[in-house]
Amino acid sequence: MGKPGGHGGKKGKKVRVAFRRNRTKPARRNDWTEQAHQADGHEIDAQHSESVVPKGELSRQRTVKADEDKEPPSDLQHGVVLAMRGLYADVDDGDRIWPCTVRRVLRTRLIEQRHPVTVGDRVGFRVDPAEDDRAGEGVIEWVRPRQGELCRRVGRRIHTIVANVDQAIIVSSAGQPDPRPNLIDRYIVASLAGRITPVVCMNKIDLDQAGCAASLLKVYAELGYEALVTSAIEGTGITELRGVLAGKASVVVGQSGVGKSSLLNMVQPGLQLRTGEISEQVNKGRHVTTTASLIRLEIGGFVVDTPGIRSFDLSTVPRSQYELHFAEFVEHVAHCKFPDCSHTHEADCAVKAAVETGRISQDRYESYVRLFEDSSDPIS
Ligand code: GDP
Ligand code: ZN
């Protein structure tokens, strides 16, 4: 899907490109990864573009609307926000981590748009030359338009917990606990809705005596998802898992006990992932924040460290959109009699017809119905 000569690549680090409307590819510094963006066919959502400008250019550029996609000022340093600490963002520029504040005009604009700087944002920042030493502090001047987002519902609002997540590694285990296909489907829908690529990983394959888990995984491979078989105990598939993680920003999700930490420790021994429940801080009763951070991998790329990743759920996805994320349904939905067919109880439903002829598997269909019926459809 990648565009020829497109994303990222070997572009100069600080090339100044003339401002144009509707640009789909901001110049990216290549500190995040080459692979991640070469493989990436997403159009940038121009509405998520944010920018401020250096002092001297303020008056000229202030007339430019915040939601227009434009280049960051050419003389900024670039990095990735690894963690937020109060008003400070820890920005990793590849060499070191800079504590950065957010320039006031940007902060005001971001808050108005309910779009504060968050973990995973790729930012342009400026460090006062006088302070350009180990004790230096930066000021964030620009935030790159976001792509994959890990979101969470808080009341009626949706918060981005981590931005620019490339993929979700959805881990199940062949046994202890047994695989739950419905949970895999749930994570796939949540990932795709957040524009995050799902990767299905079947761990504890050493326990798969009857081959059931392997055949379940095959269903997902046949649907076109990347599928991995691993054993953290025996070391199976770890090289492949490293290959999948390298150079990308990944979130690892799955039931407790499936071996997520064991796998990551095999990928990078000594990785100190936090475990446990989401730590929530209630700030003056107004905001609930979920602490997340990114950990840089030695092989390149990052993993999201979010305790109790239950936040990665479907509560931000209207259930009328679930059908879009069941890949094998898509060709059928247009043929349902009712344009708003939910494929559960309606007559003349092309999805149900496809289940009867075996073109859609009964298990996946039942899984869809379960997700649909479980949903309270909070924001359809
Ligand atoms: P997490 O809750 O998903 O992070 O799971 P853990 O990594 O804590 O693993 C839960 C348990 O499963 C531990 O006792 C691990 O030793 C065990 N485990 C992890 N991976 C494997 C595997 O591939 N095979 C087997 N047999 N056990 C595993
Ligand atoms: Zn239908």
Side-chain angles (χ1 to χ4, degrees), residues 332-341 343 346-351:
H332 302 290
V333 297
H335 304 293
C336 294
K337 179 176 176 191
F338 302 104
D340 59 348
C341 183
H343 326 300
E346 294 88 345
D348 292 330
C349 168
V351 170

Side-chain angles (χ1 to χ4, degrees), residues 284-348:
K284 312 240 183 266
R286 281 191 60 224
H287 300 291
V288 179
T289 54
T290 299
T291 312
S293 58
L294 289 182
I295 298 180
R296 187 182 277 274
L297 293 172
E298 287 157 7
I299 51 176
F302 299 86
V303 286
V304 177
D305 179 12
T306 303
I309 197 73
R310 281 180 321 195
S311 52
F312 191 67
D313 65 21
L314 282 175
S315 66
T316 60
V317 187
R319 68 179 182 177
S320 57
Q321 288 181 13
Y322 293 0
E323 63 179 25
L324 301 174
H325 305 303
F326 275 73
E328 70 275 44
F329 288 20
V330 173
E331 63 177 295
H332 302 290
V333 297
H335 304 293
C336 294
K337 179 176 176 191
F338 302 104
D340 59 348
C341 183
S342 72
H343 326 300
T344 54
H345 60 275
E346 294 88 345
D348 292 330

Side-chain angles (χ1 to χ4, degrees), residues 83-88 116-119 150-155 157-162 274 277-293 305-308 311:
M84 297 296 298
R85 288 180 294 113
L87 284 178
Y88 282 91
V117 173
T118 195
V119 173
L150 195 58
C151 299
R152 174 159 194 272
R153 237 174 99 76
V154 179
R157 290 172 57 166
I158 295 172
H159 287 204
T160 298
I161 302 171
V162 189
R274 290 178 293 170
E277 294 304 296
I278 300 171
S279 58
E280 293 181 344
Q281 300 163 341
V282 180
N283 297 331
K284 312 240 183 266
R286 281 191 60 224
H287 300 291
V288 179
T289 54
T290 299
T291 312
S293 58
D305 179 12
T306 303
S311 52

